[in-house]
Amino acid sequence: MATAAAGALGLLWGWLWSERFWLPQNVSWADLEGPGDGYGYPRARHVFSAFPVAAGIFSVRLLFERFIAKPCALHVGIQDSGPYPAQPNAILEKVFISITKYPDEKRLEGLSKQLDWDVRKIQCWFRHRRNQDKPPTLTKFCESMWRFTFYLSIFCYGIKFLWSSPWFWDIRQCWRGYPYQPLTSGLYYYYIMELAFYWSLMFSQFIDIKRKDFLIMFVHHLATIGLITFSYINNMVRVGTLIMCLHDASDFLLEAAKLANYAKYQRLCDTLFVIFSAVFVVTRLGIYPFWILNTTFFESWEMIGPYPSWWLFNGLLLILQVLHIIWSYLIVRIAFKALIRGKVSKDDRSDVESSSEEEDVTTNTKSPCGSSSSNGANRVNGHMGSSYWAEE
């Protein structure tokens, strides 16, 4: 039994690292052993260095959020406190936990008679109880500021690196001489840093603020890690650097818009979001399919021909394009509403209460439910509140 299991494992391992799968025809792993410049060609073992780097990035993030992002949040007026807690009430708590968090009019009237409370006061209680489970704005601000800082930094590095790379100006250079394209130190650091960052996101999303698009972001992170890893192992790193830089071009703009939203700089938020929307659509629905996919599908087919990992690589790129289309639809819809109404509205995937239907939570931190004014909704109506948009 042990011998059979070892044999099966050996076959699986042999298939996993099969030259027929990873490399073009008539190319072997032995051909990619040189040159001896300290980096040589990309090798599978290099990707394991991303794990300690990912742990380091996560540690830096914790320090950044505590000692840099949090003071910045407090400086712009974001309070270090959660929403006003709901008044303890066993009956309402039981309904909230066991039946519904959004009682209809009939149930509200029944509860009103049972508790001898005004319907408006009960609505207020449920609103505060829902918001009580929501993460504070300070936490979201710190998360976004960290992502903004990383995305902007890595985008600037990517532009600086690619500016002096021949394949940035002539994309067919991605395939000339392939796979015999030596790895440079700048390319190695760029790849490992990006891979480590997405591994850190993959694990941290289980402890970060829970979003309604958790599953789609999980698929996105898997596809991204798969793309970076596969493109590195089979040395498609040149086109890989173009893909990474193209995606980073809009990511930092989204995080900047979120920061402006959390700080309640409405005009700046709207401006940044419209700019982000334009850059996202141009890069993801224009440059990506007509420049990147064109070269990975057609120019590479012409110059090196297809092979098994080539199909897998392009399949992952197509998954990414499907996600681009979904997010572009959501983003354009929000941007269109922003242009029509003069303000950015709440996204369907928002993790908070609608500001047009609910009163401002921060207003109610100073007053109990029963005495809150209906004008509270208008104080944040049109602002994105604590909402967030479709992020790549």
Side-chain angles (χ1 to χ4, degrees):
M1 181 68 70
T3 304
L9 186 61
L11 288 174
L12 178 62
W13 185 259
W15 173 84
L16 182 62
W17 297 110
S18 170
E19 295 170 346
R20 293 182 58 188
F21 174 78
W22 286 104
L23 303 173
Q25 192 173 6
N26 300 322
V27 179
S28 67
W29 292 118
D31 297 330
L32 301 178
E33 288 297 322
D37 61 351
Y39 291 92
Y41 297 115
R43 299 179 185 179
R45 65 174 180 268
H46 291 170
V47 300
F48 291 107
S49 62
F51 291 105
V53 177
I57 288 176
F58 185 73
S59 299
V60 171
R61 170 191 167 174
L62 296 178
L63 295 173
F64 178 90
E65 290 185 355
R66 180 172 181 178
F67 296 106
I68 298 178
K70 184 176 180 179
C72 290
L74 297 175
H75 181 73
V76 298
I78 297 176
Q79 298 180 356
D80 188 10
S81 61
Y84 182 82
Q87 176 183 346
N89 187 291
I91 295 176
L92 295 181
E93 185 69 23
K94 183 177 180 180
V95 173
F96 182 87
I97 297 297
S98 306
I99 303 177
T100 180
K101 297 180 180 180
Y102 297 88
D104 55 23
E105 184 176 352
K106 183 178 179 180
R107 189 175 298 278
L108 287 171
E109 291 177 354
L111 290 170
S112 176
K113 294 178 181 178
Q114 184 178 358
L115 296 171
D116 195 23
W117 280 19
D118 183 77
V119 170
R120 178 64 176 169
K121 185 176 181 180
I122 297 175
Q123 288 176 325
C124 184
W125 188 95
F126 273 93
R127 180 172 62 255
H128 281 299
R129 184 61 183 83
R130 290 191 296 268
N131 286 327
Q132 193 173 309
D133 294 336
K134 305 297 182 182
T137 301
L138 179 66
T139 301
K140 292 184 285 188
F141 183 95
C142 291
E143 280 190 15
S144 288
M145 188 169 180
W146 162 248
R147 296 191 186 197
F148 167 79
T149 302
F150 181 87
Y151 286 138
L152 180 60
S153 300
I154 202 69
F155 174 69
C156 292
Y157 177 85
I159 288 294
K160 181 179 181 296
F161 170 77
L162 288 172
W163 197 264
S164 58
S165 303
W167 60 90
F168 183 69
W169 307 102
D170 177 13
I171 199 169
R172 293 177 70 90
Q173 291 286 341
C174 292
W175 315 112
R176 290 198 176 103
Y178 178 84
Y180 305 106
Q181 299 169 338
L183 183 67
T184 66
S185 60
L187 201 158
Y188 171 80
Y189 293 133
Y190 189 20
Y191 245 77
I192 295 302
M193 189 60 70
E194 286 273 13
L195 181 59
F197 178 72
Y198 279 102
W199 270 119
S200 72
L201 288 184
M202 172 65 75
F203 295 119
S204 66
Q205 70 176 344
F206 292 98
I207 60 174
D208 286 343
I209 297 169
K210 293 297 183 291
R211 312 286 191 182
K212 289 185 178 180
D213 66 338
F214 175 87
L215 181 59
I216 196 170
M217 288 306 300
F218 185 79
V219 173
H220 168 266
H221 294 334
L222 279 180
T224 302
I225 290 171
L227 277 168
I228 295 175
T229 302
F230 281 119
S231 64
Y232 188 87
I233 292 175
N234 66 5
N235 203 17
M236 288 187 177
V237 290
R238 292 187 174 183
V239 72
T241 56
L242 298 176
I243 295 171
M244 292 188 300
C245 189
L246 187 68
H247 283 73
D248 293 335
S250 60
D251 288 343
F252 73 91
L253 291 170
L254 175 60
E255 300 302 331
K258 289 182 183 181
L259 292 174
N261 164 49
Y262 299 144
K264 299 191 183 303
Y265 295 149
Q266 181 63 30
R267 190 178 300 276
L268 176 61
C269 172
D270 293 345
T271 301
L272 287 170
F273 186 77
V274 171
I275 295 173
F276 158 74
S277 302
V279 173
F280 188 96
V281 171
V282 169
T283 55
R284 310 299 175 89
L285 299 187
I287 298 176
Y288 181 82
F290 294 107
W291 191 46
I292 299 297
L293 293 184
N294 177 66
T295 195
T296 60
F297 272 96
F298 303 110
E299 293 178 348
S300 66
W301 183 298
E302 173 190 340
M303 299 179 70
I304 65 175
Y307 51 99
S309 67
W310 180 94
W311 288 105
L312 177 60
F313 180 67
N314 281 288
L316 291 170
L317 291 179
L318 286 177
I319 292 175
L320 208 55
Q321 182 60 21
V322 171
L323 296 177
H324 292 165
I325 294 171
I326 295 172
W327 283 318
S328 295
Y329 165 74
L330 296 171
I331 291 169
V332 169
R333 186 173 66 178
I334 299 169
F336 179 75
K337 290 179 180 179
L339 293 174
I340 295 298
R341 301 177 182 177
K343 57 194 73 172
V344 178
S345 60
K346 175 180 174 287
D347 180 10
D348 286 344
R349 303 179 312 114
S350 173
D351 55 351
V352 297
E353 302 292 283
S354 171
S355 59
S356 62
E357 298 172 354
E358 309 273 4
E359 292 179 350
D360 185 0
V361 173
T362 59
T363 300
N364 289 318
T365 60
K366 299 180 181 180
S367 60
C369 290
S371 60
S372 60
S373 169
S374 61
N375 292 331
N378 297 327
R379 292 189 179 93
V380 293
N381 186 24
H383 294 264
M384 287 163 287
S386 302
S387 66
Y388 74 108
W389 311 284
E391 56 182 292
E392 168 281 312

